[in-house]
């Protein structure tokens, strides 16, 4: 598979892809919107999902809830066309920029998974810290799109 | 500490902050540049780092290499002024938007940690997949800034 990591200088400033997968075989992935720069989601890839994403130019992730490679949009139709893939200094995280057209990336129905904001400043009550909605309109109705699919959110 | 997660509907569409920390007590954090939208880094926070970031409006992370809360910029001077903090649908990842002025966020010396791009399309040799530099100018000299500090990159 990908080149073996045996030299820190090469990992940081070399010319080869030498990704680091964690103890579960996963690397974290940031997905941003090509049109707006907004972060759409945070996910994970395994070796195979990364390879598929590079080769097909459509985002593939590792679904931790379903424990399998997941071609994003397979059910919803909201595929992500990959415009660019970047890797960070120590090659243990990935940033992909994608085109989702007028679609959505969040299973709750919003365009971005990051639809809520945490207010800054002195916390009055940490147990009742209220967050604010930054997106107020769902792009789709998850009940119609996902039907009987189990919800990936875990407590 | 933060509100207990006991209901998926509340986690996804409720009004309270109920972050999920993983088995190591960490939550992944995406940090983007307020001015350009570029992703600067991918890090982690523990409970305390998140609380400090909210209250001080300066980014604090959990340093996995040093195993302690890390006030970003403590050594280099490149602090990150937090403009906004968002949390995702299942509240297991965070996105912060920061102002770093003309500074840098990468310990190798670049403005962003994501200074290299992975070419898309059919992979000829996976063991020798060459990556391309997207930033070619370091903002600072890490040897001068970090002196004898150990390199956080691990193989």
């Amino acid at each position: 598979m990908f080149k073996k990591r045996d030299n820190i200088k090469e990992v940081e400033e070399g010319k080869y892809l030498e990704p680091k997968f964690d103890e579960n075989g996963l690397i974290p992935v940031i997905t941003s919107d090509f049109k707006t720069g907004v972060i759409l989601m945070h996910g994970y890839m395994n070796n195979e999902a990364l390879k598929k994403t590079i080769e097909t130019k459509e985002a593939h992730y590792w679904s931790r809830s379903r424990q399998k490679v997941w071609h994003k949009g397979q059910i919803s139709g909201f595929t992500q066309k990959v415009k660019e893939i970047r890797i960070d200094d120590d090659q243990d995280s990935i940033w992909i920029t994608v085109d989702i057209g007028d679609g959505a990336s969040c299973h709750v129905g919003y365009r971005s998974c990051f639809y809520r904001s945490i207010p800054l400043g002195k916390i009055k009550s940490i147990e009742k810290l209220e967050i604010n909605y930054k997106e107020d309109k769902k792009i789709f109705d998850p009940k119609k799109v996902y039907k009987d699919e189990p919800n990936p959110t875990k407590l």
Side-chain angles (χ1 to χ4, degrees), chain A:
Chain A
M1 286 306 292
F2 297 104
K3 192 170 180 303
K4 196 170 165 286
R5 296 161 65 93
D6 50 18
N7 177 310
I8 286 176
K9 180 85 181 163
E10 271 190 19
V11 168
E12 290 182 343
E13 307 198 63
K15 63 177 183 178
Y16 295 116
L17 182 62
E18 302 180 9
K20 183 174 189 170
F21 296 95
D22 68 14
E23 62 280 9
N24 299 312
L26 303 180
I27 189 166
V29 180
I30 300 159
T31 306
S32 72
D33 186 332
F34 165 66
K35 273 202 285 196
T36 62
V38 165
I39 310 300
L40 295 171
M41 54 181 281
H42 179 281
Y44 295 88
M45 289 178 184
N46 67 352
N47 206 308
E48 187 193 343
L50 176 56
K51 195 164 169 282
K52 282 193 170 167
T53 301
I54 294 171
E55 294 206 309
T56 66
K57 303 179 196 175
E58 292 211 348
H60 289 70
Y61 300 92
W62 176 258
S63 166
R64 292 177 303 165
S65 57
R66 285 171 284 170
Q67 289 284 304
K68 62 177 186 182
V69 171
W70 156 45
H71 178 196
K72 175 77 180 167
Q74 215 167 5
I75 295 172
S76 66
F78 298 131
T79 53
Q80 299 177 334
K81 313 284 180 207
V82 179
K83 308 296 280 187
E84 190 177 32
I85 310 182
R86 292 209 188 180
I87 192 147
D88 75 340
D89 43 18
D90 56 352
Q91 300 204 34
D92 72 351
S93 61
I94 280 174
W95 165 26
I96 64 174
T97 309
V98 301
D99 187 350
I100 58 166
D102 297 321
S105 275
C106 170
H107 76 279
V108 179
Y110 294 101
R111 184 164 173 94
S112 160
C113 294
F114 293 89
Y115 50 84
R116 290 169 298 180
S117 169
I118 304 172
L120 298 169
K122 186 74 189 158
I123 298 170
K124 282 182 201 152
S125 164
I126 199 156
E127 281 171 15
K128 288 196 171 173
L129 206 170
E130 293 192 17
I131 49 186
N132 306 313
Y133 278 71
K134 291 290 169 175
E135 282 190 48
D136 51 8
K137 201 172 135 275
K138 292 191 184 183
I139 306 286
F140 69 94
D141 179 352
K143 280 181 199 150
K144 285 187 189 153
V145 168
Y146 293 112
K147 297 185 182 80
D148 297 329
E149 285 291 317
N151 187 329
T153 297
K154 304 293 171 214
L155 284 179

